[in-house]
């Protein structure tokens, strides 16, 4: 994701208060919308009070989010990325059966924000991409035009990458064995005794390079896509997954966990090996109300190891606070409050159920039963993109185990479908992770 030259915005107390109000209003609206859809059919009405408790003007909120200046939107998006409650409420709304229509509020919001020249707004939209792909892959049908809003969001992400590449192919100039190395044998190949510049290329060497070196095209030119068809569906999914992979380490841990769940379920739908996957319904959070110096004790109790770098950083921070306690009491109090309220997460060691969760257990079981009769077929190129992204997740402490489960699921699927490239890639990665663990 390319950086933008947006001027640095100075945050004020009023700005933070306004953003906090927006977060609370959005959470209230999407939670009430989710409950409304679960309790009865039909859409929640704008400005309609739910039992007298909810009266949110969503049109006014969306106008603020979509029509504000770019600096304000960047500020809002950066704060929205830190709100777990907002992420969860939007995720629940995305997973509703009514999501993805032409007039869907979330689709319009995501489409507008991703088209902006703003890093924070793009990151906010990309954090929900695993859920968007899950909904599209499980609900799309050639004869179903209901998901036109969702398809517009996916096309928006694709076309931004299309513009970024400027119609260029991705090529790799592979070395050839017919030519000696210019680094180690430059004197033998390129030395010209009559030429002062002895290291310059001779005409013969230049001719050999231009005629024998054939570049390998890694990715062809991206076609312009205005609507999704069976012919361009694969290239669109592969491209947007590539965009997500490029930014996956910049996104929240919640987004990576849902990405792992999406891949595990996509690759195992309709196969019995999904029943052998361990279950971890939700992400476990450690909210430390003690001093940061006691994190090691809490980690031992919850079997969570704290990296050495974090311990060193915390000790140095506390030492600095102690040295300056007489001069900066107010700053120390703020710093200590921030450290005491720090949040840590246990490693996710199983398959979460965010994508299939329903408030009613009967509806959830019915949905799982419906999914078990479906198989989603994706080509080898998309699974290779999945493996690249899972490799990055596998070397993060909180997502290492769930990423291994996803890689194993892809390996099982490739073994059933007899895809040798995926079998080799997933086997080598699983071996590396198992050796590293030992």
């Amino acid at each position: 994701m390319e950086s933008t030259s947006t001027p640095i915005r100075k945050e004020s107390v009023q700005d933070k208060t306004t953003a906090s109000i927006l977060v609370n209003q959005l959470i209230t609206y999407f939670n009430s919308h989710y409950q409304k859809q679960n309790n009865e059919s039909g859409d929640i009405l704008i400005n309609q009070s739910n039992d007298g408790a909810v009266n949110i003007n969503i049109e006014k909120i969306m106008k603020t989010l979509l029509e504000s200046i770019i600096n304000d939107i960047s500020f809002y998006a950066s704060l929205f990325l830190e709100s777990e409650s907002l992420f969860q409420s939007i995720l629940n709304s995305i997973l509703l059966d009514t999501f993805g229509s032409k007039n869907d509020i979330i689709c319009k919001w995501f489409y507008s924000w991703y088209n902006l020249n703003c890093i924070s707004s793009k990151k906010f939209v990309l954090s929900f991409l695993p859920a968007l792909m899950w909904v599209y892959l499980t609900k799309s049908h050639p004869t179903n035009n209901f998901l036109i809003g969702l398809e517009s969001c996916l096309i928006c992400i694709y076309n931004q990458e299309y513009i970024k590449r400027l119609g260029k192919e991705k090529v790799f100039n592979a070395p050839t064995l017919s030519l000696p190395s210019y680094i180690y044998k430059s004197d033998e190949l390129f030395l010209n005794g009559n030429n002062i510049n002895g290291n310059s290329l001779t005409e013969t060497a230049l001719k050999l390079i231009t005629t024998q070196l054939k570049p390998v095209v890694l990715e062809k030119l991206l076609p312009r896509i205005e609507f999704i068809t069976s012919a361009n569906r694969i290239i669109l999914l592969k491209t947007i997954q590539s965009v997500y992979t490029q930014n996956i380490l910049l996104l929240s841990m919640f987004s990576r966990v849902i990405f792992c769940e999406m891949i595990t379920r996509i690759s195992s739908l309709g196969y019995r090996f999904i029943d052998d996957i361990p279950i971890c319904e939700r992400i476990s959070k450690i909210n430390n109300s003690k001093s940061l110096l006691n994190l090691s004790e809490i980690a031992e109790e919850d079997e969570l190891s704290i990296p050495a770098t974090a311990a060193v950083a915390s000790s140095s921070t506390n030492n600095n606070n102690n040295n300056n306690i007489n001069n900066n009491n107010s700053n120390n109090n703020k710093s200590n409050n921030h450290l005491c309220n720090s949040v840590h997460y246990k490693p996710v060691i199983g398959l979460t159920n965010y994508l299939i969760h329903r408030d009613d257990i009967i509806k959830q079981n019915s949905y799982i039963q419906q999914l078990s009769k479906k198989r989603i077929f994706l080509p080898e190129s998309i699974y290779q993109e999945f493996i690249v992204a899972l490799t990055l997740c596998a070397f993060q402490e909180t997502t290492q185990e769930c990423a291994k489960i996803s890689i194993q699921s892809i390996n099982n699927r490739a073994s059933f479908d007899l895809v040798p490239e995926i079998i080799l890639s997933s086997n080598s990665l699983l071996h590396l992770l198992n050796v590293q663990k030992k």
Side-chain angles (χ1 to χ4, degrees):
M1 188 179 296
E2 296 180 349
S3 60
T4 58
S5 58
T6 305
I8 299 176
R9 186 183 194 279
K10 294 184 178 180
E11 302 175 6
S12 65
V13 176
Q14 184 177 2
D15 293 333
K16 292 184 178 181
T17 302
T18 303
S20 178
I21 293 175
L22 282 175
V23 169
N24 292 331
Q25 289 179 339
L26 288 170
I27 293 173
T28 303
Y29 172 79
F30 287 122
N31 286 342
S32 61
H33 179 65
Y34 176 75
Q35 295 173 1
K36 180 76 172 181
Q37 293 295 331
N38 281 332
N39 294 333
E40 58 181 276
S41 59
D43 295 328
I44 187 172
L45 298 177
I46 297 174
N47 290 328
Q48 179 67 37
S49 175
N50 185 10
D51 297 332
V54 179
N55 188 17
I56 303 298
N57 189 342
I58 192 62
E59 287 185 343
K60 184 177 179 181
I61 296 176
M62 285 297 135
K63 184 177 181 180
T64 302
L65 295 176
L66 302 182
E67 298 181 6
S68 298
I69 61 176
I70 190 70
N71 287 345
D72 289 343
I73 291 178
S74 177
F75 175 66
Y76 295 150
S78 62
L79 292 182
F80 291 175
L81 285 167
E82 300 174 358
S83 177
E84 300 170 10
S85 300
L86 179 60
F87 184 92
Q88 183 66 60
S89 61
I90 296 176
L91 177 64
N92 290 337
S93 297
I94 290 175
L95 298 176
L96 288 173
D97 294 334
T98 57
F99 172 77
S101 62
K102 181 179 180 180
N103 297 320
D104 190 273
I105 292 176
I106 297 178
C107 292
K108 290 182 177 180
W109 180 13
F110 286 180
Y111 183 90
S112 299
W113 270 28
Y114 201 84
N115 272 320
L116 297 175
N117 189 23
C118 174
I119 295 178
S120 298
S121 63
K122 292 181 185 293
K123 284 172 56 179
F124 179 76
V125 176
L126 284 178
S127 63
F128 294 96
L129 186 59
L132 298 179
M133 291 182 64
W134 166 260
V135 173
Y136 177 75
L137 291 173
T138 55
K139 296 182 180 179
S140 64
H141 192 272
T143 60
N144 182 15
N145 295 325
F146 178 75
L147 298 176
I148 187 172
L150 172 58
E151 291 180 356
S152 298
C153 291
L154 300 180
I155 292 174
C156 172
I157 298 174
Y158 171 87
N159 284 334
Q160 288 288 319
E161 183 67 10
Y162 168 83
I163 296 172
K164 178 182 175 181
R165 294 189 187 181
L166 298 174
K168 297 180 180 178
E169 293 180 337
K170 284 188 175 182
V171 297
F172 171 68
N173 293 316
T176 176
L177 298 178
S178 61
L179 288 176
S181 171
Y182 177 73
I183 298 176
Y184 299 105
K185 297 184 179 181
S186 59
D187 292 338
E188 299 177 10
L189 181 63
F190 303 111
L191 183 60
N192 186 357
N194 299 326
N195 191 355
I196 298 177
N197 298 325
N199 291 329
S200 61
L201 292 175
T202 63
E203 292 183 3
T204 304
L206 183 60
K207 183 178 180 180
L208 287 173
I209 290 177
T210 56
T211 56
Q212 297 188 23
L213 289 182
K214 296 181 180 179
V216 178
V217 178
L218 299 180
E219 292 186 11
K220 297 182 179 180
L221 294 175
L222 293 179
R224 181 78 179 184
I225 294 180
E226 296 182 357
F227 51 89
I228 302 178
T229 64
S230 57
N232 59 28
R233 176 174 177 265
I234 299 303
I235 186 64
L236 180 137
L237 292 174
K238 181 179 182 296
T239 303
I240 63 177
Q241 175 56 45
S242 175
V243 174
Y244 184 83
T245 302
Q246 295 170 21
N247 299 278
I248 190 169
L249 296 182
L250 302 176
L251 305 177
S252 66
M253 185 266 291
F254 280 87
S255 180
R256 296 197 299 270
V257 169
I258 293 173
F259 171 72
C260 294
E261 179 186 350
M262 184 269 292
I263 293 181
T264 303
R265 297 193 181 279
I266 288 296
S267 58
S268 61
L269 282 182
Y271 295 87
R272 292 186 176 180
F273 61 81
I274 192 174
D275 299 330
D276 300 329
I277 299 176
I279 302 298
C280 176
E281 293 186 355
R282 296 278 149 169
I283 298 173
S284 299
K285 181 168 60 175
I286 304 173
N287 194 350
N288 182 18
S289 59
K290 301 179 182 180
S291 172
L292 190 61
L293 293 175
N294 296 329
L295 275 177
S296 58
E297 299 177 2
I298 298 176
E300 293 177 357
E301 297 173 1
D302 295 283
E303 300 180 354
L304 174 63
S305 60
I306 303 300
T309 54
V312 173
S314 63
S315 62
S316 61
T317 303
N318 289 327
N319 289 334
N320 291 334
N321 288 339
N322 291 331
N323 293 333
N324 299 325
I325 192 170
N326 295 326
N327 299 327
N328 302 305
N329 289 329
S330 59
N331 292 335
N332 286 335
N333 289 334
K334 292 180 181 179
S335 177
N336 291 333
N337 290 335
H338 174 71
L339 295 177
C340 292
N341 294 327
S342 59
V343 177
H344 298 268
Y345 299 93
K346 294 182 181 180
V348 180
I349 58 175
L351 177 62
T352 55
N353 67 345
Y354 288 99
L355 297 178
I356 63 169
H357 176 72
R358 299 293 185 272
D359 287 340
D360 189 353
I361 189 63
I362 298 177
K363 292 182 179 180
Q364 180 170 320
N365 292 335
S366 176
Y367 182 54
I368 295 174
Q369 185 67 22
Q370 180 183 356
L371 289 175
S372 65
K373 302 177 182 178
K374 178 183 293 188
R375 289 186 180 182
I376 298 175
F377 295 93
L378 295 174
E380 176 262 343
S381 59
I382 294 182
Y383 276 112
Q384 287 288 12
E385 286 291 340
F386 286 165
I387 291 176
V388 173
L390 288 172
T391 303
L392 299 175
C393 293
F395 289 94
Q396 304 297 314
E397 183 181 5
T398 52
T399 55
Q400 182 177 24
E401 293 301 322
C402 62
K404 286 179 61 177
I405 292 173
S406 300
I407 298 168
Q408 184 63 59
S409 180
I410 290 179
N411 182 268
N412 294 338
R413 175 66 179 267
S415 300
F416 275 100
D417 294 347
L418 299 179
V419 186
E421 296 86 354
I422 302 301
I423 295 175
L424 290 173
S425 299
S426 55
N427 272 337
S428 61
L429 184 54
L430 288 171
H431 176 72
L432 175 64
L433 294 174
N434 291 331
V435 170
Q436 184 189 33
K437 187 176 182 180
K438 292 179 181 180

